[in-house]
Amino acid sequence: MPDRSEAEDRPSLRAEQVKQTRAALVEAGRLLFGRDGFAATSVDDLARQARVTTGALYHHFPNKTTLFETVFEAVHSELLDGAERAASGACDELEFLARGFEAYLDQLLQPDVQRILITDAPAVLGLARFTELDERYAFAVIAEALRSATAAGKLAVEDPETVTRLLLGALVRGGTLIAGSAQPDRTRDAVARAMRKMLDGFA
């Protein structure tokens, strides 16, 4: 009969195994969805890459779309974290937003990020869900920066919530332009200049 300490260790061991399996599936999804695209990636491909059974995959994710959504959120969160870090040394809110937008666009030059966030996500998730997830993490940061800049007299934004949604929409459209461009670096620069001019227009 196992002693008490062994019995107590079993739940934590199982929880760690569950966590590791889920992480392996998300990592596999990030690789395959980013490299091959959603349509060309099968459940068998994902399970094989994660070194688990398809049954294990379905235990964590009811379908391939749910796994894709989790991957989308992870990639999106990475991009926003990178944008915030790049903007952290800005001298004011206007520069903070401009630097953050530019850093976000820089990361969209990566082919796997393009494929997941820009090419596949709107079609796989549906426009309503895509917009909801796109706004979930970025909306509050941008809206607060607009409110702070307006309070400081550097911007004149009467409706920060609406302007935030318009700016996010412009970033998504800019990402689409970058993903479809024969010269993505030049397109990125053009989009970044346009975004900065939009912000300057509220000064």
Side-chain angles (χ1 to χ4, degrees):
M1 181 176 180
D3 61 30
R4 187 173 179 179
S5 62
E6 289 177 350
E8 289 173 348
D9 285 344
R10 285 179 181 174
S12 61
L13 179 59
R14 284 196 295 271
E16 183 61 28
Q17 289 173 337
V18 167
K19 181 180 178 181
Q20 289 178 357
T21 299
R22 183 180 177 85
L25 287 165
V26 174
E27 184 178 349
R30 169 68 184 267
L31 173 65
L32 298 182
F33 292 144
R35 188 187 68 195
D36 304 328
F38 179 84
T41 300
S42 70
V43 169
D44 288 339
D45 293 334
L46 292 162
R48 189 180 306 111
Q49 180 65 37
R51 297 184 178 180
V52 301
T53 64
T54 55
L57 186 152
Y58 285 124
H59 176 75
H60 290 274
F61 302 97
N63 51 51
K64 187 173 69 165
T65 300
T66 308
L67 174 55
F68 179 87
E69 181 174 308
T70 302
V71 171
F72 172 88
E73 289 192 82
V75 175
H76 200 277
S77 181
E78 287 175 14
L79 261 66
L80 293 179
D81 287 345
E84 285 199 60
R85 285 195 300 272
S88 61
C91 57
D92 57 31
E93 293 85 358
L94 185 62
E95 187 64 19
F96 172 85
L97 289 172
R99 288 188 187 182
F101 292 162
E102 290 175 7
Y104 182 85
L105 294 171
D106 283 340
Q107 294 173 92
L108 289 182
L109 291 170
Q110 302 173 50
D112 61 330
V113 173
Q114 280 183 24
R115 188 181 292 275
I116 292 169
L117 262 61
I118 303 299
T119 304
D120 282 350
V124 174
L125 302 176
L127 186 57
R129 183 62 172 161
F130 168 75
T131 302
E132 177 188 349
L133 294 175
D134 186 52
E135 291 184 0
R136 177 175 291 175
Y137 305 105
F139 183 87
V141 174
I142 296 173
E144 179 56 32
L146 291 174
R147 281 191 288 267
S148 296
T150 299
K154 296 184 177 178
L155 293 179
V157 178
E158 295 181 3
D159 186 350
E161 287 75 19
T162 297
V163 172
T164 295
R165 290 189 169 93
L166 291 173
L167 290 171
L168 286 171
L171 282 174
V172 170
R173 181 58 178 157
T176 302
L177 293 173
I178 292 169
S181 175
Q183 296 179 305
D185 291 304
R186 290 185 62 181
T187 303
R188 175 265 175 218
D189 291 343
V191 172
R193 286 194 299 271
M195 294 298 299
R196 187 174 281 268
K197 287 182 179 179
M198 287 175 66
L199 290 172
D200 289 341
F202 292 108

PDB file of all heavy atoms in Angstrom, residues 72-94:
ATOM      1  N   PHE A  72      -3.337  31.104 -31.754  1.00  0.00           N
ATOM      2  CA  PHE A  72      -3.532  32.510 -32.143  1.00  0.00           C
ATOM      3  C   PHE A  72      -3.358  33.427 -30.934  1.00  0.00           C
ATOM      4  O   PHE A  72      -2.645  34.429 -30.997  1.00  0.00           O
ATOM      5  CB  PHE A  72      -4.924  32.697 -32.739  1.00  0.00           C
ATOM      6  CG  PHE A  72      -5.293  34.138 -32.986  1.00  0.00           C
ATOM      7  CD1 PHE A  72      -4.970  34.750 -34.185  1.00  0.00           C
ATOM      8  CD2 PHE A  72      -5.946  34.880 -32.022  1.00  0.00           C
ATOM      9  CE1 PHE A  72      -5.297  36.095 -34.413  1.00  0.00           C
ATOM     10  CE2 PHE A  72      -6.278  36.206 -32.231  1.00  0.00           C
ATOM     11  CZ  PHE A  72      -5.951  36.816 -33.435  1.00  0.00           C
ATOM     12  N   GLU A  73      -3.997  33.073 -29.826  1.00  0.00           N
ATOM     13  CA  GLU A  73      -3.902  33.904 -28.627  1.00  0.00           C
ATOM     14  C   GLU A  73      -2.464  33.978 -28.114  1.00  0.00           C
ATOM     15  O   GLU A  73      -2.011  35.040 -27.671  1.00  0.00           O
ATOM     16  CB  GLU A  73      -4.827  33.368 -27.540  1.00  0.00           C
ATOM     17  CG  GLU A  73      -6.301  33.574 -27.825  1.00  0.00           C
ATOM     18  CD  GLU A  73      -7.156  33.295 -26.607  1.00  0.00           C
ATOM     19  OE1 GLU A  73      -7.293  34.184 -25.752  1.00  0.00           O
ATOM     20  OE2 GLU A  73      -7.680  32.170 -26.515  1.00  0.00           O
ATOM     21  N   ALA A  74      -1.757  32.856 -28.162  1.00  0.00           N
ATOM     22  CA  ALA A  74      -0.373  32.834 -27.688  1.00  0.00           C
ATOM     23  C   ALA A  74       0.520  33.723 -28.551  1.00  0.00           C
ATOM     24  O   ALA A  74       1.327  34.501 -28.036  1.00  0.00           O
ATOM     25  CB  ALA A  74       0.152  31.396 -27.680  1.00  0.00           C
ATOM     26  N   VAL A  75       0.374  33.609 -29.870  1.00  0.00           N
ATOM     27  CA  VAL A  75       1.192  34.417 -30.783  1.00  0.00           C
ATOM     28  C   VAL A  75       0.838  35.890 -30.637  1.00  0.00           C
ATOM     29  O   VAL A  75       1.714  36.765 -30.583  1.00  0.00           O
ATOM     30  CB  VAL A  75       0.999  33.951 -32.239  1.00  0.00           C
ATOM     31  CG1 VAL A  75       1.758  34.866 -33.195  1.00  0.00           C
ATOM     32  CG2 VAL A  75       1.483  32.518 -32.404  1.00  0.00           C
ATOM     33  N   HIS A  76      -0.455  36.175 -30.559  1.00  0.00           N
ATOM     34  CA  HIS A  76      -0.906  37.555 -30.418  1.00  0.00           C
ATOM     35  C   HIS A  76      -0.354  38.169 -29.135  1.00  0.00           C
ATOM     36  O   HIS A  76       0.110  39.323 -29.134  1.00  0.00           O
ATOM     37  CB  HIS A  76      -2.437  37.579 -30.401  1.00  0.00           C
ATOM     38  CG  HIS A  76      -3.020  38.918 -30.724  1.00  0.00           C
ATOM     39  ND1 HIS A  76      -3.165  39.903 -29.776  1.00  0.00           N
ATOM     40  CD2 HIS A  76      -3.498  39.441 -31.886  1.00  0.00           C
ATOM     41  CE1 HIS A  76      -3.714  40.973 -30.332  1.00  0.00           C
ATOM     42  NE2 HIS A  76      -3.921  40.722 -31.605  1.00  0.00           N
ATOM     43  N   SER A  77      -0.380  37.415 -28.055  1.00  0.00           N
ATOM     44  CA  SER A  77       0.138  37.897 -26.779  1.00  0.00           C
ATOM     45  C   SER A  77       1.639  38.173 -26.860  1.00  0.00           C
ATOM     46  O   SER A  77       2.130  39.175 -26.331  1.00  0.00           O
ATOM     47  CB  SER A  77      -0.147  36.867 -25.681  1.00  0.00           C
ATOM     48  OG  SER A  77       0.319  37.313 -24.433  1.00  0.00           O
ATOM     49  N   GLU A  78       2.374  37.309 -27.551  1.00  0.00           N
ATOM     50  CA  GLU A  78       3.815  37.512 -27.740  1.00  0.00           C
ATOM     51  C   GLU A  78       4.087  38.822 -28.474  1.00  0.00           C
ATOM     52  O   GLU A  78       4.987  39.583 -28.106  1.00  0.00           O
ATOM     53  CB  GLU A  78       4.411  36.356 -28.538  1.00  0.00           C
ATOM     54  CG  GLU A  78       4.532  35.044 -27.772  1.00  0.00           C
ATOM     55  CD  GLU A  78       5.008  33.919 -28.668  1.00  0.00           C
ATOM     56  OE1 GLU A  78       5.491  34.211 -29.787  1.00  0.00           O
ATOM     57  OE2 GLU A  78       4.878  32.752 -28.268  1.00  0.00           O
ATOM     58  N   LEU A  79       3.304  39.074 -29.522  1.00  0.00           N
ATOM     59  CA  LEU A  79       3.498  40.292 -30.307  1.00  0.00           C
ATOM     60  C   LEU A  79       3.224  41.533 -29.479  1.00  0.00           C
ATOM     61  O   LEU A  79       3.979  42.514 -29.538  1.00  0.00           O
ATOM     62  CB  LEU A  79       2.597  40.273 -31.546  1.00  0.00           C
ATOM     63  CG  LEU A  79       3.284  39.845 -32.845  1.00  0.00           C
ATOM     64  CD1 LEU A  79       3.701  38.373 -32.754  1.00  0.00           C
ATOM     65  CD2 LEU A  79       2.355  40.046 -34.037  1.00  0.00           C
ATOM     66  N   LEU A  80       2.161  41.504 -28.694  1.00  0.00           N
ATOM     67  CA  LEU A  80       1.825  42.669 -27.878  1.00  0.00           C
ATOM     68  C   LEU A  80       2.861  42.902 -26.788  1.00  0.00           C
ATOM     69  O   LEU A  80       3.209  44.050 -26.488  1.00  0.00           O
ATOM     70  CB  LEU A  80       0.440  42.481 -27.272  1.00  0.00           C
ATOM     71  CG  LEU A  80      -0.716  42.473 -28.278  1.00  0.00           C
ATOM     72  CD1 LEU A  80      -2.039  42.258 -27.564  1.00  0.00           C
ATOM     73  CD2 LEU A  80      -0.762  43.772 -29.077  1.00  0.00           C
ATOM     74  N   ASP A  81       3.375  41.814 -26.193  1.00  0.00           N
ATOM     75  CA  ASP A  81       4.440  41.953 -25.197  1.00  0.00           C
ATOM     76  C   ASP A  81       5.671  42.594 -25.824  1.00  0.00           C
ATOM     77  O   ASP A  81       6.307  43.484 -25.229  1.00  0.00           O
ATOM     78  CB  ASP A  81       4.808  40.590 -24.609  1.00  0.00           C
ATOM     79  CG  ASP A  81       3.742  40.052 -23.673  1.00  0.00           C
ATOM     80  OD1 ASP A  81       2.853  40.823 -23.255  1.00  0.00           O
ATOM     81  OD2 ASP A  81       3.785  38.839 -23.365  1.00  0.00           O
ATOM     82  N   GLY A  82       6.009  42.148 -27.035  1.00  0.00           N
ATOM     83  CA  GLY A  82       7.158  42.723 -27.724  1.00  0.00           C
ATOM     84  C   GLY A  82       6.949  44.186 -28.063  1.00  0.00           C
ATOM     85  O   GLY A  82       7.873  45.000 -27.948  1.00  0.00           O
ATOM     86  N   ALA A  83       5.730  44.533 -28.465  1.00  0.00           N
ATOM     87  CA  ALA A  83       5.422  45.925 -28.799  1.00  0.00           C
ATOM     88  C   ALA A  83       5.509  46.813 -27.565  1.00  0.00           C
ATOM     89  O   ALA A  83       6.037  47.932 -27.630  1.00  0.00           O
ATOM     90  CB  ALA A  83       4.030  46.010 -29.415  1.00  0.00           C
ATOM     91  N   GLU A  84       5.011  46.319 -26.434  1.00  0.00           N
ATOM     92  CA  GLU A  84       5.082  47.106 -25.199  1.00  0.00           C
ATOM     93  C   GLU A  84       6.525  47.312 -24.747  1.00  0.00           C
ATOM     94  O   GLU A  84       6.890  48.381 -24.268  1.00  0.00           O
ATOM     95  CB  GLU A  84       4.262  46.448 -24.097  1.00  0.00           C
ATOM     96  CG  GLU A  84       2.761  46.628 -24.262  1.00  0.00           C
ATOM     97  CD  GLU A  84       2.007  46.381 -22.965  1.00  0.00           C
ATOM     98  OE1 GLU A  84       2.272  47.090 -21.976  1.00  0.00           O
ATOM     99  OE2 GLU A  84       1.170  45.472 -22.958  1.00  0.00           O
ATOM    100  N   ARG A  85       7.335  46.272 -24.878  1.00  0.00           N
ATOM    101  CA  ARG A  85       8.752  46.414 -24.496  1.00  0.00           C
ATOM    102  C   ARG A  85       9.441  47.452 -25.371  1.00  0.00           C
ATOM    103  O   ARG A  85      10.227  48.268 -24.887  1.00  0.00           O
ATOM    104  CB  ARG A  85       9.467  45.070 -24.608  1.00  0.00           C
ATOM    105  CG  ARG A  85       9.139  44.087 -23.502  1.00  0.00           C
ATOM    106  CD  ARG A  85      10.139  42.939 -23.479  1.00  0.00           C
ATOM    107  NE  ARG A  85      10.151  42.194 -24.733  1.00  0.00           N
ATOM    108  CZ  ARG A  85       9.362  41.170 -25.004  1.00  0.00           C
ATOM    109  NH1 ARG A  85       8.466  40.767 -24.109  1.00  0.00           N
ATOM    110  NH2 ARG A  85       9.439  40.539 -26.156  1.00  0.00           N
ATOM    111  N   ALA A  86       9.148  47.407 -26.674  1.00  0.00           N
ATOM    112  CA  ALA A  86       9.785  48.347 -27.601  1.00  0.00           C
ATOM    113  C   ALA A  86       9.357  49.783 -27.326  1.00  0.00           C
ATOM    114  O   ALA A  86      10.123  50.721 -27.566  1.00  0.00           O
ATOM    115  CB  ALA A  86       9.427  47.964 -29.044  1.00  0.00           C
ATOM    116  N   ALA A  87       8.149  49.957 -26.819  1.00  0.00           N
ATOM    117  CA  ALA A  87       7.618  51.300 -26.584  1.00  0.00           C
ATOM    118  C   ALA A  87       7.892  51.818 -25.189  1.00  0.00           C
ATOM    119  O   ALA A  87       7.616  52.987 -24.893  1.00  0.00           O
ATOM    120  CB  ALA A  87       6.104  51.294 -26.831  1.00  0.00           C
ATOM    121  N   SER A  88       8.453  50.983 -24.326  1.00  0.00           N
ATOM    122  CA  SER A  88       8.552  51.321 -22.905  1.00  0.00           C
ATOM    123  C   SER A  88       9.407  52.559 -22.621  1.00  0.00           C
ATOM    124  O   SER A  88       9.204  53.245 -21.633  1.00  0.00           O
ATOM    125  CB  SER A  88       9.100  50.128 -22.114  1.00  0.00           C
ATOM    126  OG  SER A  88      10.399  49.782 -22.562  1.00  0.00           O
ATOM    127  N   GLY A  89      10.357  52.868 -23.481  1.00  0.00           N
ATOM    128  CA  GLY A  89      11.211  54.024 -23.226  1.00  0.00           C
ATOM    129  C   GLY A  89      10.750  55.298 -23.901  1.00  0.00           C
ATOM    130  O   GLY A  89      11.490  56.288 -23.934  1.00  0.00           O
ATOM    131  N   ALA A  90       9.525  55.309 -24.405  1.00  0.00           N
ATOM    132  CA  ALA A  90       9.015  56.475 -25.132  1.00  0.00           C
ATOM    133  C   ALA A  90       8.880  57.680 -24.205  1.00  0.00           C
ATOM    134  O   ALA A  90       8.590  57.546 -23.014  1.00  0.00           O
ATOM    135  CB  ALA A  90       7.666  56.147 -25.757  1.00  0.00           C
ATOM    136  N   CYS A  91       9.063  58.870 -24.775  1.00  0.00           N
ATOM    137  CA  CYS A  91       9.035  60.095 -23.968  1.00  0.00           C
ATOM    138  C   CYS A  91       7.623  60.559 -23.641  1.00  0.00           C
ATOM    139  O   CYS A  91       7.423  61.327 -22.701  1.00  0.00           O
ATOM    140  CB  CYS A  91       9.796  61.214 -24.691  1.00  0.00           C
ATOM    141  SG  CYS A  91       9.146  61.577 -26.350  1.00  0.00           S
ATOM    142  N   ASP A  92       6.632  60.131 -24.414  1.00  0.00           N
ATOM    143  CA  ASP A  92       5.243  60.491 -24.120  1.00  0.00           C
ATOM    144  C   ASP A  92       4.315  59.444 -24.720  1.00  0.00           C
ATOM    145  O   ASP A  92       4.757  58.490 -25.365  1.00  0.00           O
ATOM    146  CB  ASP A  92       4.899  61.891 -24.650  1.00  0.00           C
ATOM    147  CG  ASP A  92       5.141  62.036 -26.146  1.00  0.00           C
ATOM    148  OD1 ASP A  92       4.991  61.022 -26.882  1.00  0.00           O
ATOM    149  OD2 ASP A  92       5.482  63.136 -26.603  1.00  0.00           O
ATOM    150  N   GLU A  93       3.014  59.625 -24.503  1.00  0.00           N
ATOM    151  CA  GLU A  93       2.032  58.629 -24.945  1.00  0.00           C
ATOM    152  C   GLU A  93       1.981  58.500 -26.462  1.00  0.00           C
ATOM    153  O   GLU A  93       1.789  57.400 -26.993  1.00  0.00           O
ATOM    154  CB  GLU A  93       0.641  58.989 -24.409  1.00  0.00           C
ATOM    155  CG  GLU A  93       0.493  58.895 -22.903  1.00  0.00           C
ATOM    156  CD  GLU A  93       0.948  60.143 -22.177  1.00  0.00           C
ATOM    157  OE1 GLU A  93       1.429  61.082 -22.846  1.00  0.00           O
ATOM    158  OE2 GLU A  93       0.833  60.173 -20.938  1.00  0.00           O
ATOM    159  N   LEU A  94       2.133  59.613 -27.169  1.00  0.00           N
ATOM    160  CA  LEU A  94       2.091  59.575 -28.632  1.00  0.00           C
ATOM    161  C   LEU A  94       3.231  58.730 -29.179  1.00  0.00           C
ATOM    162  O   LEU A  94       3.041  57.875 -30.050  1.00  0.00           O
ATOM    163  CB  LEU A  94       2.159  60.999 -29.183  1.00  0.00           C
ATOM    164  CG  LEU A  94       2.016  61.150 -30.705  1.00  0.00           C
ATOM    165  CD1 LEU A  94       0.655  60.659 -31.156  1.00  0.00           C
ATOM    166  CD2 LEU A  94       2.230  62.604 -31.119  1.00  0.00           C
TER     167      LEU A  94
END
